[in-house]
Amino acid sequence: MSIDLMPGFGAFTPAASGGGSPPTFPAPSAVAYSATTANLAITSAGLLTTGQADPVSGTDAVSVTFNSASTISRGSYSISGLPSTGAAFSYTNTTTYTASVFAKQIGPNGRWLRFGIYDATTGDVGVMFDLQTGAVGSSRSGGITEISPGITAYDSGWYQCYFSTDNLSGVIDNIQLGPAATDSSDFDANTTADTNDGVYIFRLQIVTGSNPNG
């Protein structure tokens, strides 16, 4: 259902509701996954903190926060790499894969999650997700096209963010996750951030097919 909150500004589509506990992880069709994402490398500009409260009453989430209040490059504040399980999986062009992650906003400047896949062979693909209102934002133009991006609301401000693609081939170069203060199709554009704002992330996975949960 779409709601026209302000006539003339377009309709807002609320996030689907996933209810309470997240689905079983990893999904049966998962080819790459990481429960904590702690194995992904933080760039020199960002701060990664493990052992954060997760949506299943554990402490397997991590936080990725800005560490400067100055104008910085959005692309510098992220974690990147590959999930610990399935990292060497060879992706097949024309096969549909769906990437998903759970995320939660930290502070006003952690409103947007920047979620991308970088494939050295084909290009890159990514989507911005609004962790404040539960909406899909801009798509990155990087040579690969995303299919059916979506966001599902869970308890305590958590969202599952996901998108599909059928243009991956070979081995993925890396996956990038990070906060952004504003929505933009340019994932490397400058933004202004406050210290300690960012995003919590949990349960990254890539599955075959279009269902983020297999």
Side-chain angles (χ1 to χ4, degrees), residues 58-204:
T59 54
D60 284 330
V62 300
S63 62
V64 183
T65 55
F66 302 104
N67 65 356
S68 171
S70 61
T71 299
I72 48 82
S73 171
R74 203 181 262 130
S76 296
Y77 291 80
S78 64
I79 56 175
S80 62
L82 287 165
S84 57
T85 304
F89 180 83
S90 183
Y91 297 84
T92 304
N93 193 16
T94 71
T95 296
T96 298
Y97 299 97
T98 300
S100 68
V101 71
F102 283 84
K104 180 179 178 179
Q105 178 178 356
I106 305 174
N109 291 289
R111 174 174 177 174
W112 294 92
L113 171 71
R114 182 169 38 81
F115 183 16
I117 294 177
Y118 294 79
D119 181 347
T121 303
T122 313
D124 52 71
V125 59
V127 180
M128 287 280 197
F129 294 93
D130 189 339
L131 303 179
Q132 181 173 300
T133 64
V136 176
S138 297
S139 299
R140 177 178 175 87
S141 299
I144 305 176
T145 303
E146 92 288 343
I147 303 169
S148 304
I151 183 168
T152 302
Y154 285 84
D155 292 345
S156 302
W158 284 92
Y159 291 94
Q160 185 184 31
C161 306
Y162 58 91
F163 62 89
S164 302
T165 182
D166 59 7
N167 293 120
L168 298 177
S169 61
V171 177
I172 289 176
D173 184 37
N174 67 69
I175 291 170
Q176 190 176 70
L177 290 159
T182 57
D183 181 23
S184 174
S185 60
D186 181 0
F187 277 23
D188 300 317
N190 288 339
T191 188
T192 300
D194 290 343
T195 304
N196 297 324
D197 287 2
V199 292
Y200 294 112
I201 56 175
F202 178 62
R203 288 188 172 178
L204 167 68

Side-chain angles (χ1 to χ4, degrees), residues 10-29:
F12 165 70
T13 303
S17 176
S21 298
T24 300
F25 179 87
S29 60

